Amino acid sequence: REFTISSYIDTLMRQVKFLGGLKPFCVFNSYQNVPSTKTMDELQKLVVGNLGLTVQYMEVKVVAASLMQALALSLGLPDAPLGLFLGGLGNFTPLSTFLPMDMDAAANTVGLSESEAVIMRLLLVGYENERNDLILKRAPLGAYMFAQMGQKGVKTCLNKIEEVKAGGNSATLLDCFPPTLVATIAQCAANVSKARAADLRRIANAKDPNVREVYNAHSTESVSVNSHHASSSYICGCFGFFGRVEKKNVQKFSPPSD
């Protein structure tokens, strides 16, 4: 059975709460100075970094899913399935193929902080461990929204979402997001949910009439990452993706508005 958008968000939030509640200093143990105190300190610092990045990655996915929920609520669909706007089911083209963003360029030109660059890389290409097990899936919609909002913007938006939901006024959920971002995603979603296209375009025009309709899909399946711009130079055994990110010749990525 397919997830509804609301149940998917609930699942993500439980994961965020679980990860946020973990005690980093209980992950590794030492006995008779094995590993050494110095090694333990390094490992624990990596665990703290890994947990922090994982929570931030999950928060981006919560915000992206919440925008889908806000669009669904605006259309009077509180129990909308996750694939209604995201697509990817049956013959539906995924929403990610309509995003006005060069995924490959974003992967290689992220002029962000160290942690933001790692999060962007995870959103764009996901993460596999040394055994090629997929640990984190790529999230193109999250990557697009993260490129637009940044880490601070995502956190601010998440706080607004939590306030609206706590107040029980979900009708205003769409107002938690930047208008141009809403308009862009609504125009993309209109290409996926044909039956709701007219309503989605009305929402887009109300939020920002300058955002034009999207007609052509493009592939976002193959994304190559230049190691000079987004590489992990050391790995922590528990999550395995937090590390230093080279910043040489890195430019700020500004995705087009159409």
Side-chain angles (χ1 to χ4, degrees), residues 144-215:
Y144 177 76
M145 294 180 66
F146 191 70
Q148 299 285 334
M149 303 170 71
Q151 192 171 336
K152 183 177 179 180
V154 167
K155 195 66 178 180
T156 299
C157 188
L158 186 61
N159 290 335
K160 290 180 180 179
I161 292 169
E162 291 174 347
E163 289 176 5
V164 167
K165 290 186 175 181
N169 189 13
S170 297
T172 62
L173 188 60
L174 206 59
D175 296 332
C176 297
F177 303 88
T180 300
L181 178 62
V182 173
T184 302
I185 301 305
Q187 292 283 16
C188 292
N191 290 279
V192 178
S193 182
K194 301 294 185 180
R196 304 286 178 175
D199 292 330
L200 288 166
R201 297 203 192 283
R202 275 196 289 271
I203 291 173
N205 290 331
K207 288 294 182 179
D208 190 340
N210 295 317
V211 175
R212 293 178 293 180
E213 295 183 14
V214 181
Y215 293 104

Side-chain angles (χ1 to χ4, degrees), residues 5 68-69 71-81 84-85 193 196:
I5 299 174
M68 297 295 99
Q69 183 182 41
L71 289 173
L73 291 172
S74 296
L75 299 179
L77 303 170
D79 297 318
L84 178 64
F85 303 132
S193 182
R196 304 286 178 175

Side-chain angles (χ1 to χ4, degrees), residues 92-167:
F92 289 98
T93 303
L95 179 143
S96 60
T97 63
F98 297 100
L99 292 173
M101 174 177 174
D102 185 333
M103 297 292 179
D104 192 79
N108 292 293
T109 55
V110 283
L112 307 172
S113 69
E114 179 174 320
S115 62
E116 286 178 322
V118 176
I119 293 170
M120 176 63 89
R121 180 177 183 272
L122 293 173
L123 292 166
L124 285 168
V125 300
Y127 171 75
E128 293 181 353
N129 62 16
E130 295 177 353
R131 298 188 302 274
N132 295 322
D133 298 324
L134 185 62
I135 305 301
L136 295 174
K137 293 183 178 181
R138 56 192 296 273
L141 176 59
Y144 177 76
M145 294 180 66
F146 191 70
Q148 299 285 334
M149 303 170 71
Q151 192 171 336
K152 183 177 179 180
V154 167
K155 195 66 178 180
T156 299
C157 188
L158 186 61
N159 290 335
K160 290 180 180 179
I161 292 169
E162 291 174 347
E163 289 176 5
V164 167
K165 290 186 175 181

Side-chain angles (χ1 to χ4, degrees), residues 11-51:
T11 299
L12 290 176
M13 289 304 298
R14 285 197 295 270
Q15 292 176 336
V16 170
K17 185 177 181 179
F18 168 74
L19 291 168
L22 289 178
K23 297 180 180 179
F25 301 105
C26 295
V27 174
F28 293 105
N29 295 302
S30 177
Y31 178 71
Q32 294 184 350
N33 202 37
V34 180
S36 67
T37 300
K38 180 181 178 181
T39 299
M40 284 296 294
D41 288 342
E42 292 175 350
L43 289 172
Q44 288 171 350
K45 287 179 182 178
L46 287 172
V47 173
V48 170
N50 278 339
L51 289 174

